[in-house]
Amino acid sequence: MSTSTRAGLVVENPASGTVLRTVPLVGPAQVLETVRWARAAQPAWVALGFPGRAAIMRRAQRWILDNAERVISTVVSETGKTYEDAQSTDLAYTVQALSFWAAHAERYLEDERLRSFSSPIVAGKRLVLRHVPIGVVAVIGPWNFPLVNGFGDCIPALMAGNGVILKPSEVTPLSSLLMVEMFAECGMPRDVFQVITGEGSTGAALINCVDAVMFTGSTRTGRLVARAAAEAMIPCHLELGGKDPMIVCADADLAKAAQAAAYYSMNNAGQVCTSIERVYVEAPVYEEFVQRVVKIVGSLRQGPPTGPGTVDVGAVIFGPQLEIVERHVNDALVKGARALTGAHARAGQGRFYEPTVLVDVDHTMDVMREETFGPVVPIMRVSDVEEAIRLANDSPYGLQASVFSRDSARGEQIARRLEAGSVCVNSAQLNYFALNLPMGGWKASGLGARHGIGGIRKYCRTQSLFVSGFGPRRELFMFPYRRRVTRMILRGLRLLYGRGSRR
Ligand code: NDP
């Protein structure tokens, strides 16, 4: 949590309430200056070439592992998440992403030679598609994964040859600042990568002076970012909220499905854009599934993390989020839901919400419709898979979904009918670690995707080269126009394209 004073942003540990540090509150004039520095530094960064940039990323990868305790403790201190959540996501993803983009950027962005078969007029010409770094990219990140969602997007943007300005959430800026230190030690030229700390207005000012923006956060702010990007006429890529459904078929391995439901709804205290936020279970296995989930969730340990293996569920990172979680659970209880575990903010030190399993839920309740983003798993009985699919798709969001069935082919058939950018069969969230597989939302969950070939090309402009070598001085269609030639061209067009159907 942070509060702003004239001196800057005060960063707090949400698990203990202690003040960690004050960081600068960067204003619009300074934002402009920062972008100018990045513009000045960017040409030399491009000139370094892919191997030069990859070498720095590989050094950074090594640096993170050499400094793993420091990286994890920084993430844990400003988020109040568990040691394991910081290690298995923020740390593990970052080293993997540094390695992945260092290895693949050059191949993903190499010139493409296209065949000149589309028309006789272009036959024999050289057609080349280039991917040119766009210039200076703004990455605006949220507070749930300070390294994955903010810094992680900087890596492909940098490997493409751009200058990058990262604006982390005001709540969690310290991990991003550590990355500046890391890159400096790893030989990154000055000003290529910069972090500006500030509030929403700092992010808004940044959009006005960069060449592209990658934003992760709420759908509400995402819409503001898209509007600002439209005004600035720059591309924007948005990864927004989700309300990810899980479907449990009657033939599912229930032990596996229950473990997944408990883990992927409670890891990072449910503050994951791809959290399982609602579960639909076929009636014959509903009771057993609920019992299994309650047994796991009911035994989870919660509290301020004091090292590896000490707690399972960490803090609510952002103060106002606790109110959202409480509002959703209370709304459900008033409308007839039952809580089988939790359903309270935890008394005592820090900001925690008890791991909560809700049953007897339906789509009149906010907890089944809006992003809760907390340690809450509502489970709904459905008569069959058709009803589950209909309810899963009954959402303004479409980020991710998961399906559990022992018959993975049938699971895949169900997955294909779900309105979501990514669907996992017999797992959840793990697709995020398949960095060659695009990940992006449908509907109100976003625009564009991260990862895969598009996950780096989006930080480039394309340039099409049309190169003519030898050829006639005067093309047949050029001046002066002559009746005979005009007729001949029409005959040629009929010969080439005249076989289309008249019906
Ligand atoms: P926001 O979407 O408001 O903030 C995300 C980032 O955008 C932060 O860095 C924020 O800065 C910045 N920002 C805020 N306003 C603007 C603006 N006008 N222009 C540019 N940047 C801006 O998320 P919140 O932190 O308020 O969380 C709200 C909700 O978002 C949560 O309840 C949750 O549902 C969802 N969420 C989704 C995430 C995901 O991964 N998809 C991650 C986090 C939250 P600052 O923090 O300094 O205000």
Side-chain angles (χ1 to χ4, degrees), residues 2 9 139-145 149 167-172 197-207 213 215-222 224-225 228 239-242 271-274 277 318 320-321 324 370-373 397 399 445 450:
S2 74
L9 295 170
V139 175
I140 301 178
W143 38 259
N144 56 339
F145 290 108
N149 282 340
K167 205 306 263 168
S169 166
E170 62 183 292
V171 183
T172 56
T197 50
E199 299 173 324
S201 57
T202 312
L206 185 59
I207 297 169
V213 57
F215 171 86
T216 307
S218 65
T219 298
R220 181 183 48 78
T221 309
L224 296 177
V225 168
E239 204 256 69
L240 309 176
Q271 300 158 112
V272 186
C273 49
T274 56
E277 287 242 344
F318 181 47
Q321 197 64 40
I324 296 174
E370 294 176 19
E371 189 174 43
T372 305
F373 225 64
Y397 295 108
L399 191 59
S445 290
R450 51 164 69 94

Side-chain angles (χ1 to χ4, degrees), residues 163-199:
V164 174
I165 317 274
L166 170 60
K167 205 306 263 168
S169 166
E170 62 183 292
V171 183
T172 56
L174 304 183
S175 311
S176 300
L177 290 169
L178 186 60
M179 296 297 99
V180 177
E181 191 182 324
M182 171 190 77
F183 270 146
E185 284 184 28
C186 294
M188 167 88 69
R190 216 180 132 88
D191 299 334
V192 168
F193 171 72
Q194 298 172 74
V195 171
I196 52 171
T197 50
E199 299 173 324

Side-chain angles (χ1 to χ4, degrees), residues 42-55:
Q42 191 255 344
W45 178 239
V46 179
L48 211 54
F50 287 103
R53 297 197 289 274

